[in-house]
Amino acid sequence: MLDKQLDIMLQPRIKILSILEDFTLEQLNTIPAGFNNNVIWNLGHMIAAQQGVCYKRAGLDTWVDDAFFQAYKQDSRPNGPVDEQEFKKIKDLLITSLDQLRMDYNNNLFADYPAWTTRYGVEIGNINDAIAFLPFHEGLHIGYIMAMRKLV
């Protein structure tokens, strides 16, 4: 089950990166009218949300650095343009974060995962529920990215 859930996240991540290949860094940093963030922030937020939902909610440290987590966590906003180095880091983390999650899951790092309810009313009872919730959340943000790409 875990492998399928992670693949459901991986394939759209790969596809969206492919779609964005022809966009300039300036376009990806542009905040379109009516939005409060940009394409790059949404990509970074997908990683930060995974870290928050899986690691922080389990009482664990994120394995991305805290500055990255703070920049892209829930309720954050872009605080200036992202440079090529940061964008490369985000692209790498979109793939490697899922590999790390798989390893940590297989090493039983999330054994004491506490129950909680998302802002969407979804009850999360364990790490399996948390991982099952992530594709829904990422779908929202990929939808924002797909809308934004037509406006930048």
Side-chain angles (χ1 to χ4, degrees), residues 100-113:
Q100 184 68 46
L101 180 57
R102 176 182 284 110
M103 283 192 312
D104 292 340
Y105 180 93
N106 289 336
N107 288 329
N108 209 27
L109 194 65
F110 306 104
D112 296 324
Y113 194 95

Side-chain angles (χ1 to χ4, degrees), residues 23-137:
F23 286 75
T24 67
L25 199 55
E26 182 180 350
Q27 287 174 303
L28 299 175
N29 274 299
T30 298
I31 299 174
F35 290 87
N36 58 14
N37 52 48
N38 56 36
V39 169
I40 290 178
W41 182 90
N42 277 277
L43 294 170
H45 176 69
M46 288 163 50
I47 298 158
Q50 173 197 329
Q51 294 288 296
V53 166
C54 295
Y55 293 85
K56 288 264 188 203
R57 288 281 180 178
L60 304 168
D61 291 332
T62 61
W63 64 267
V64 298
D65 62 74
D66 192 57
F68 182 94
F69 181 76
Q70 295 301 321
Y72 299 104
K73 71 180 184 176
Q74 178 180 322
D75 298 326
S76 68
R77 299 288 175 260
N79 58 2
V82 168
D83 63 18
E84 188 63 47
Q85 182 179 0
E86 178 80 357
F87 185 46
K88 181 183 181 329
K89 178 180 182 178
I90 289 168
K91 291 188 290 187
D92 291 344
L93 285 171
L94 281 167
I95 308 306
T96 60
S97 63
L98 296 177
D99 295 335
Q100 184 68 46
L101 180 57
R102 176 182 284 110
M103 283 192 312
D104 292 340
Y105 180 93
N106 289 336
N107 288 329
N108 209 27
L109 194 65
F110 306 104
D112 296 324
Y113 194 95
W116 61 288
T117 302
T118 72
R119 65 167 59 179
Y120 302 102
V122 177
E123 293 180 18
I124 307 291
N126 55 48
I127 189 61
N128 293 319
D129 293 348
I131 292 170
F133 173 75
L134 288 172
F136 159 76
H137 178 263

